[in-house]
Amino acid sequence: MRLSYDDLKKEFLRVLLACHVKEALAEECAKLFADTTQSGVYSHGVNRFPRFIQQLRAGHVLPEAVPERMLSLGAIEQWDAHRAIGNVTAQRMMSRAMELADEHGLGLVALRNATHWMRGGSYGTQAAEKGYVGICWSNSIAVMPPWGASECRIGTNPFIIAVPTQPITMIDMSMSMFSYGMLEVNRLAGRQLPVDGGFDDAGRLTRDPGTIEKNRRILPMGYWKGSGMSIVLDMIATLLANGESVVSVTEDMDDEYGVSQIFMAIEVDRLIPGKTREAKIARICDYVLSAKRSDPEVAIRLPGHEFSAIRAENQANGIPVDDSVWARIKAL
């Protein structure tokens, strides 16, 4: 089915208010879920909403909590989220990183005791729309085997870099070949993955999303490279936030909450004149896009540039929502 943005947001808001989330906060949270879904990131928008409500009702997410600054070191600040609503808190932390960048040229906020931020790319976009380079990442519960293992010991630890171009150029990537949310999207659509995404029960590479969801043997992005990147991102987030690591979230919590996150903003305007910046970016894009295609039917992509077209289509035709997901939300 396809739904309007307003209908989607109203349903999110209804459920949040029924969970006793204060109206202003519920409005902000519902908007972020609706924006994420309209941008085509269904895995971390409408599809993720029932899971978020489950954590809210279980007391893992605390809607009355107020994030608190714990330490300030010039351009670096350390905050405690106190398990407040993840997407709203993340948006505020990136705003704070931009404020620090206005003063210092670069701002970094390290956040502990956070809950799932849903679509990490929202906060990279938030910074890039204001003219900053936005960088952020989060650790997670252990849901991926390190390279050479069959047992989960590392997180998918999504990593985002957004560049202020028109349209915004951005990578928003899990340290696995596919996030669990994208496995679900493909399974619900009855599709196999376009490339190998994990291992089957016999240890053979597979493109079947349902098998990987079930056995949790998801494939690190770039094999050993993604595995190593996941470990390093976890270490940095844990140290800078003085927060929980993948192992402590996994072994000491009864669900995925209390994670550590990093938000960085770099001011570009004072580093390079506007016309010079535009010319340099245009040359990079033109050089990439002018490469000879290996398959004439498959376009060369610049990361993140597809989202403006997806949003426009969803604004014009409505937002696609899986029937089973919508039924779950209506029943909340």
Side-chain angles (χ1 to χ4, degrees), residues 289 291-301:
L289 294 175
K292 183 180 179 181
R293 296 185 185 185
S294 59
D295 182 343
E297 300 301 318
V298 179
I300 297 167
R301 296 173 53 186

Side-chain angles (χ1 to χ4, degrees), residues 149-169:
S150 60
E151 190 176 16
C152 293
R153 284 290 187 271
I154 60 177
T156 51
N157 300 353
F159 182 65
I160 294 91
I161 304 176
V163 184
T165 58
Q166 291 296 330
I168 290 167
T169 304

Side-chain angles (χ1 to χ4, degrees), residues 20-251:
H20 309 293
V21 179
K22 291 182 180 178
E23 187 170 357
L25 183 60
E27 178 75 23
E28 195 173 355
C29 181
K31 181 180 185 303
L32 284 166
F33 268 105
D35 288 347
T36 291
T37 310
Q38 187 178 60
S39 294
V41 189
Y42 313 112
S43 58
H44 291 72
V46 64
N47 290 11
R48 180 80 191 195
F49 188 73
R51 170 79 170 120
F52 165 71
I53 295 300
Q54 178 187 22
Q55 288 195 297
L56 190 63
R57 288 175 172 170
H60 301 152
V61 178
L62 304 177
E64 72 280 4
V66 178
E68 178 183 9
R69 183 170 60 190
M70 307 303 293
L71 181 67
S72 179
L73 294 172
I76 303 174
E77 289 185 351
Q78 196 177 79
W79 286 66
D80 192 322
H82 298 301
R83 287 165 41 195
I85 289 177
N87 55 4
V88 174
T89 301
Q91 186 178 64
R92 293 176 182 175
M93 294 302 102
M94 185 56 85
S95 291
R96 181 57 189 155
M98 288 188 283
E99 291 173 357
L100 291 168
D102 288 341
E103 184 176 356
H104 302 285
L106 180 148
L108 187 153
V109 173
L111 181 69
R112 63 176 177 258
N113 289 329
T115 58
H116 198 297
W117 62 6
M118 305 308 148
R119 181 199 180 199
S122 297
Y123 321 113
T125 298
Q126 176 189 350
E129 286 178 341
K130 300 286 187 179
Y132 304 86
V133 170
I135 303 172
C136 53
W137 71 90
S138 174
N139 65 10
S140 72
I141 200 168
V143 290
M144 181 166 68
W147 184 248
S150 60
E151 190 176 16
C152 293
R153 284 290 187 271
I154 60 177
T156 51
N157 300 353
F159 182 65
I160 294 91
I161 304 176
V163 184
T165 58
Q166 291 296 330
I168 290 167
T169 304
M170 178 177 66
I171 56 168
D172 176 0
M173 57 187 185
S174 165
M175 291 301 105
S176 55
M177 282 297 296
F178 298 90
S179 69
Y180 278 92
M182 284 307 298
L183 293 180
E184 180 189 39
V185 166
N186 281 278
R187 174 177 54 78
L188 289 172
R191 294 191 300 257
Q192 293 286 288
L193 302 172
V195 296
D196 294 330
F199 298 90
D200 65 16
D201 295 341
R204 297 175 300 231
L205 287 169
T206 180
R207 299 187 179 189
D208 181 58
T211 296
I212 304 165
E213 282 182 300
K214 185 177 179 180
N215 69 16
R216 315 296 276 181
R217 293 190 64 179
I218 199 165
L219 182 66
M221 174 195 71
Y223 304 96
W224 52 88
K225 295 180 181 180
S227 178
M229 187 75 168
S230 169
I231 294 165
V232 170
L233 291 174
D234 179 38
M235 288 179 174
I236 297 172
T238 300
L239 293 175
L240 296 189
N242 188 17
E244 302 293 346
S245 63
V246 168
V247 59
S248 58
V249 171
T250 303
E251 294 191 340

